């Protein structure tokens, strides 16, 4: 028997011969007829024979198999179901505890599933997966090879975990996942925060439905029992992104690869963050905002605005983003008008006095009624963060947040109103650094470019005038 054959039979322990067969070196002759030296003394086998005794305990739906080797080195157990043709790795013999799982559940023999876990219909658990006892899996969830769910975690229906994805933490608290989410290879969802102020205690994450979370994304739980990390619905979060503790992210956002959100960052709805964007703590990114790749954000970006650069400078209205989200040409033009009026004096990043002046001007413009209905916007009732922020000073109750994420009713506001309201409401966040600088306040490169464009326009008009006077056009 070859070495491969010996290992195959010897390592299984079942049906192996009493005396393992070891490969020996025959006396070989070279092409010149020279005899090779006699073979060395045969080495002991790579593994000793394991005499396995198997006992079977029957139950109405499954039977448990308990084994122990004759050398008393190890014990093992697993539960099988003849009706399913699959076996489930368990930490102990519990042949009757798995009977509450639906018959449609399929579990690979190498997976370890706590019998106290709750599994829905048509759940598929792949090889080498782990599911803890406080886990609830909805219907039709699928776990790829090496995926794990720890701690107290609740997943809705139709979630897919690709190989190596991890959800939850053994720390106190809870991870709540909605329906139809996809988690890429190596994604870490609901793991412990990386905040030095965290000294233990409950921490929470609530994630909505329909999110596409790609490879190696990290989304951390909150850092305190009265805070909660929240991610809404239908977001695309590309590979390598990091969402730190206590972030609140709305719905339909796109975060390109390696986007980094520090703690307590807030992102509205339908925002686009380019690759390698980094956002400082407590900053707010408004709805329909656009940040170019590589931007370093250390201030608030109002709704419907676009920005770029190391220490982001606002560049104007995100025209393309508004058009793609269905706003009319008239609404976009009104947003441009509001932007010009709001930033007519400019503002520098971190200039809190100018930021307060900006907020007062925005509120006055809203109350004038020129840009549309403003009452709900100014009260915060139509804010993208409404209902997603837990009450400070009290332990988080996740049910209102979950209900808000399931709600489909929302009032449609003009982007101009959202722009002005985001500037006003951001001042209620006392730890906010204020809005990012406006491009007319210190960005010499942009100012020089604008001056050059203006000069060229004037020169073109002058040439046209001369041609008209000469009758050539």
């Amino acid at each position: 028997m070859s070495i491969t054959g010996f290992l195959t039979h010897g390592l299984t322990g079942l049906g192996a011969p009493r005396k393992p067969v070891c490969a020996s070196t025959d006396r070989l002759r070279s092409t010149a007829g020279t005899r090779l030296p006699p073979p060395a003394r045969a080495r002991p086998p790579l593994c000793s024979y394991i005499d396995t005794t198997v006992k079977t305990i029957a139950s109405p739906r499954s039977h448990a198999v308990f084994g122990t080797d004759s050398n008393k080195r190890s014990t093992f157990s697993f539960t099988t179901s003849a009706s399913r043709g699959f076996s489930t790795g368990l930490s102990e013999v519990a042949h009757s505890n798995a009977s509450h799982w639906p018959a449609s559940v399929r579990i690979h023999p190498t997976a370890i599933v706590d019998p106290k876990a709750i599994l829905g219909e048509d759940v598929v658990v792949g090889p080498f997966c782990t599911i803890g006892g406080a886990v609830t899996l909805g219907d039709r969830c699928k776990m790829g090879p090496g995926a794990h769910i720890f701690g107290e975690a609740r997943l809705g229906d139709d979630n897919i975990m690709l190989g190596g994805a991890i959800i939850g933490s053994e720390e106190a608290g809870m991870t709540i996942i909605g329906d139809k989410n996809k988690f890429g290879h190596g994604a870490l969802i609901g793991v412990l925060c990386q905040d030095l102020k965290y000294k233990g205690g409950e921490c929470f994450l609530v994630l909505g439905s329909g999110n596409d979370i790609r490879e190696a994304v990290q989304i951390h739980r909150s850092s305190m029992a009265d805070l909660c990390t929240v991610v809404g619905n239908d977001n695309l979060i590309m590979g390598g992104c990091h969402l730190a503790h206590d972030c609140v992210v709305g719905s339909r956002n796109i975060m390109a690869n390696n986007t980094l959100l520090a703690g307590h960052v807030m992102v509205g709805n339908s925002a686009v963050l380019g690759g390698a964007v980094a956002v400082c703590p407590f900053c707010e990114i408004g709805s329909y905002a656009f940040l170019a790749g590589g931007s370093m954000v250390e201030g608030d970006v109002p709704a419907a605005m676009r920005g770029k650069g190391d220490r982001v400078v606002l560049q104007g209205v995100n025209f393309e983003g508004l058009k793609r989200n269905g706003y009319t040409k008239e609404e976009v033009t009104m947003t441009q008008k509001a932007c010009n009026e709001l930033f007519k004096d400019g503002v520098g990043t971190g200039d809190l006095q100018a930021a307060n002046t900006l907020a007062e001007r925005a509120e006055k413009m809203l109350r004038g009624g020129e840009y549309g209905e403003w009452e709900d916007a100014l009260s915060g009732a139509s804010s993208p963060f409404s209902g997603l922020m837990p009450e400070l000073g009290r332990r988080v109750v996740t049910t209102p947040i979950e209900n808000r994420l399931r709600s489909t009713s929302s009032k449609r506001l003009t982007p101009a109103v959202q722009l002005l309201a985001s500037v006003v409401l951001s001042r209620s966040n006392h730890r906010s650094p204020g809005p990012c600088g406006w491009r007319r306040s210190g960005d010499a490169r942009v100012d020089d470019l604008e001056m050059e464009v203006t000069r060229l326009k004037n020169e073109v008009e002058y040439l046209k005038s001369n041609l008209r006077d000469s009758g050539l056009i």
Side-chain angles (χ1 to χ4, degrees):
M1 180 182 292
S2 65
I3 288 290
T4 304
F6 163 70
L7 291 176
T8 303
H9 287 272
L11 288 177
T12 57
L14 296 176
R18 282 288 178 178
K19 294 182 179 180
V21 179
C22 297
S24 61
T25 306
D26 295 331
R27 294 184 177 182
L28 303 176
R29 297 178 182 273
S30 67
T31 55
T34 305
R35 180 186 297 273
L36 295 176
R41 186 176 180 180
R43 295 181 180 179
L46 297 178
C47 62
S48 60
Y49 170 75
I50 299 176
D51 184 14
T52 306
T53 305
V54 178
K55 300 178 182 179
T56 302
I57 307 173
S59 72
R61 292 192 53 184
S62 64
H63 61 273
V65 181
F66 178 79
T68 177
D69 64 49
S70 59
N71 297 323
K72 306 300 181 183
R73 287 198 306 265
S74 62
T75 59
F76 63 91
S77 61
F78 57 92
T79 298
T80 65
S81 174
S83 63
R84 287 178 262 166
F86 289 87
S87 61
T88 305
L90 300 177
S91 57
E92 58 185 38
V93 177
H95 61 277
S96 61
N97 291 340
S99 62
H100 64 288
W101 292 340
S104 58
V105 171
R106 294 183 292 167
I107 304 176
H108 192 273
T110 59
I112 300 176
V113 183
D114 194 299
K116 295 187 290 294
I118 300 174
L119 308 182
E121 296 282 352
D122 298 308
V123 167
V124 178
V125 182
F128 306 105
C129 293
T130 304
I131 300 178
V135 172
T136 300
L137 272 178
D139 297 338
R140 298 174 298 281
C141 288
K142 295 179 175 60
M143 298 177 63
H148 306 281
I149 308 178
F150 299 120
E152 188 173 357
R154 186 173 78 240
L155 282 73
D157 301 334
D158 300 295
N159 289 293
I160 298 176
M161 298 175 63
L162 300 184
I166 296 177
I167 291 179
S169 170
E170 295 291 355
E171 301 295 327
M174 195 169 187
T175 302
I176 300 174
I177 310 292
D179 304 327
K180 299 181 179 179
N181 297 289
K182 183 176 181 180
F183 303 97
H185 299 284
L188 302 176
I189 311 300
V191 296
L192 193 63
C193 68
Q194 298 174 353
D195 187 0
L196 293 176
K197 298 188 298 296
Y198 177 75
K199 303 301 181 183
E202 292 184 304
C203 44
F204 301 90
L205 166 68
V206 176
L207 189 143
S209 301
N211 296 288
D212 189 359
I213 299 174
R214 303 304 292 269
E215 298 77 19
V217 170
Q218 302 177 29
I219 304 179
H220 291 176
R221 285 186 183 182
S222 62
S223 61
M224 299 181 184
D226 61 345
L227 295 174
C228 183
T229 303
V230 180
V231 179
N233 306 312
D234 303 312
N235 296 288
L236 171 57
I237 305 177
M238 300 186 193
C241 291
H242 173 83
L243 279 65
H245 56 89
D246 311 305
C247 285
V248 178
V249 177
S251 300
R252 303 179 301 280
N253 297 291
I254 298 176
M255 299 183 189
N257 300 79
N258 301 316
T259 292
L260 308 176
L261 304 186
H264 306 273
V265 168
M266 302 171 66
V267 181
N269 299 326
S270 302
V272 177
L273 281 67
V277 168
V279 186
C280 291
F282 298 100
C283 291
E284 180 177 322
I285 312 299
S287 298
Y288 310 108
F290 174 83
L291 291 170
S295 298
M296 300 295 156
V297 186
E298 58 179 11
D300 297 336
V301 179
M305 298 292 286
R306 53 189 170 86
K308 67 177 183 179
D310 183 1
R311 308 305 183 267
V312 160
V313 175
L314 301 179
Q315 303 294 313
V317 174
N318 181 19
F319 299 107
E320 189 63 30
L322 294 179
K323 288 190 293 184
R324 290 182 180 181
N325 283 278
Y327 288 103
T328 65
K329 183 178 179 180
E330 291 74 17
E331 290 174 321
V332 174
T333 302
M334 186 66 70
T335 307
Q336 178 65 61
K337 179 182 177 181
C339 174
N340 292 339
E341 176 66 20
L342 180 64
F343 291 102
K344 62 183 180 181
D345 297 330
V347 61
T349 302
D351 187 349
L352 297 183
Q353 182 177 357
N356 291 329
T357 302
L358 204 67
E360 293 172 0
R361 181 183 300 159
E363 183 173 358
K364 184 178 180 180
M365 293 170 63
L366 277 175
R367 294 185 181 276
E370 180 181 359
Y371 300 99
E373 298 182 16
W374 54 270
E375 289 83 356
D376 289 343
L378 206 55
S379 66
S382 58
S383 166
F385 312 114
S386 175
L388 302 182
M389 305 289 291
E391 184 178 351
L392 294 178
R394 300 184 62 180
R395 179 187 179 275
V396 168
V397 178
T398 61
T399 303
I401 300 176
E402 296 176 66
N403 294 337
R404 178 66 179 86
L405 293 177
R406 295 192 193 100
S407 175
T408 57
S409 61
S410 59
K411 190 172 183 178
R412 188 177 187 276
L413 300 175
T414 65
V417 169
Q418 296 185 58
L419 164 62
L420 298 172
S422 65
V423 172
V424 176
L425 296 178
S426 66
R427 300 312 307 141
S428 62
N429 180 5
H430 300 294
R431 303 189 70 173
S432 168
C436 290
W438 176 241
R439 61 192 175 97
R440 295 195 179 95
S441 61
D443 192 335
R445 293 169 299 176
V446 174
D447 292 341
D448 292 344
L449 182 60
E450 285 187 337
M451 291 175 61
E452 182 65 15
V453 170
T454 302
R455 186 188 66 81
L456 292 174
K457 284 182 177 179
N458 293 336
E459 187 173 338
V460 168
E461 290 299 326
Y462 175 75
L463 293 174
K464 285 183 178 180
S465 177
N466 288 339
L467 291 174
R468 280 193 296 266
D469 293 342
S470 61
L472 296 177
I473 59 174

